[in-house]
Amino acid sequence: MSFRVEPDPSLKDALKAADHSLAGIWVCSASPLIAEICAGAGFDWVFIDAEHSPNDLQNILAQLQAVRSYPVVPVVRPAVNDPVIIKQFLDLGVQSLIIPMVNDAQQAAAAVAACQYPPKGVRGVGSALARSARWNRIPEYLTRADETITVMVQIEAAEAVENVQEILDTDGLDGIFIGPSDLAASMGVIGQQNHPDVVDAVLKSIKAAKAAGKYAGVNAFDHDTARKYMDAGADFVGVGADVALLARATEALAASFSNESQTPAPKSY
């Protein structure tokens, strides 16, 4: 006998219920074990990255399953704003997406369309085959899917900051996630995420999102910077990464048994 299945909460559900900025951790190791460890650490959300990490469909599926029993929201970033890749991620059961390198309203609209079934969008229909609908065990999934999915796009170029208002006006878009590293590079100060011009651009984007009634997130591995953006109204902040934490901790441990001085690593990526 089958039982009624309902979709898990997505990022926008968690944001609606929150009375504080949500802190999240990147999971870049492509390891379900590490994803589960991070999911149980007390973060509000885990960011499974497929742009700069060796994550593929099988790895992402295993990580979604590994973190499901924990009170944490999985968020996934594909490598590119592509409807085929986005369709595959959605069919895996990804319900919260952050789409990278979106610089204008047209690209934002394409990201939203890739997450919606026709007639509103272009997502291919395969619910009987897909974990997203729990193989058609979720009642009326095809007509309800849009409301269960969170779509965010990344603001990570000077052009995107210039176009942020038009991007935020995109129908069906839930919010933005700001990437200071690529933003710094596009502004000619690569590696300087805390450069005053970069910080100003981040704050401008957060302010625009709040004025538009949409969510704003940002990446900030530096503790003080993360707190600054939270105080400025950022709804969710990526505050660290599994691989970075492991790198810094192993370096510190090795240095404690060495006479050689340790060169400090950047606090952000």
Side-chain angles (χ1 to χ4, degrees):
M1 178 174 129
S2 63
F3 56 94
R4 183 180 179 90
V5 180
E6 284 297 317
D8 296 328
S10 72
L11 181 58
K12 64 185 175 186
D13 297 316
L15 290 168
K16 286 176 185 176
D19 58 2
H20 61 281
S21 298
L22 303 185
I25 185 169
W26 291 56
V27 180
C28 305
S29 57
S31 165
L33 179 64
I34 299 301
E36 184 173 4
I37 292 172
C38 291
F43 292 101
D44 300 299
W45 56 289
V46 292
F47 193 177
I48 302 170
D49 180 43
E51 183 184 15
H52 293 294
S53 307
N55 276 308
D56 57 22
L57 294 175
Q58 291 285 354
N59 289 335
I60 292 169
L61 173 59
Q63 289 170 80
L64 292 174
Q65 293 168 329
V67 307
R68 189 174 186 273
S69 61
Y70 295 86
V72 65
V73 177
V75 180
V76 180
R77 177 172 70 174
V80 64
N81 186 5
D82 179 89
V84 174
I85 294 174
I86 291 172
K87 172 181 63 179
Q88 290 179 305
F89 281 23
L90 291 173
D91 283 351
L92 286 181
V94 174
Q95 290 173 248
S96 305
L97 282 164
I98 292 179
I99 312 299
M101 295 293 180
V102 170
N103 293 328
D104 56 40
Q106 183 177 1
Q107 293 172 359
V112 172
C115 297
Q116 296 179 334
Y117 286 124
K120 292 194 293 183
V122 298
R123 179 183 176 186
V125 180
S127 57
L129 312 176
R131 181 176 179 269
S132 58
R134 298 304 188 268
W135 306 276
N136 274 349
R137 289 173 178 162
I138 295 178
E140 292 88 40
Y141 177 77
L142 293 177
T143 57
R144 299 169 55 204
D146 294 353
E147 65 192 52
T148 73
I149 295 169
T150 298
V151 188
M152 305 275 188
V153 298
Q154 277 202 250
I155 303 298
E156 48 187 339
E159 179 186 359
V161 175
E162 292 175 4
N163 296 327
V164 68
Q165 188 58 63
E166 290 80 8
I167 291 171
L168 286 162
D169 288 340
T170 303
D171 188 37
L173 183 70
D174 295 298
I176 58 174
F177 184 74
I178 307 153
S181 293
D182 278 299
L183 183 55
S186 77
M187 297 174 72
V189 288
I190 191 168
Q192 300 180 54
Q193 293 87 350
N194 286 330
H195 189 283
D197 292 344
V198 177
V199 173
D200 285 347
V202 172
L203 295 174
K204 174 186 175 181
S205 299
I206 293 173
K207 183 177 180 180
K210 305 309 290 182
K214 296 192 176 180
Y215 297 112
V218 63
N219 195 52
F221 288 3
D222 176 71
H223 184 277
D224 292 340
T225 304
R227 286 294 181 189
K228 178 176 183 175
Y229 291 147
M230 288 177 173
D231 292 341
D235 298 291
F236 62 111
V237 180
V239 297
D242 56 348
V243 291
L245 291 169
L246 180 60
R248 300 295 84 79
T250 51
E251 289 162 4
L253 180 60
S256 70
F257 290 93
S258 173
N259 293 325
E260 296 182 7
S261 61
Q262 183 181 6
T263 301
K267 291 184 178 181
S268 189
Y269 80 98

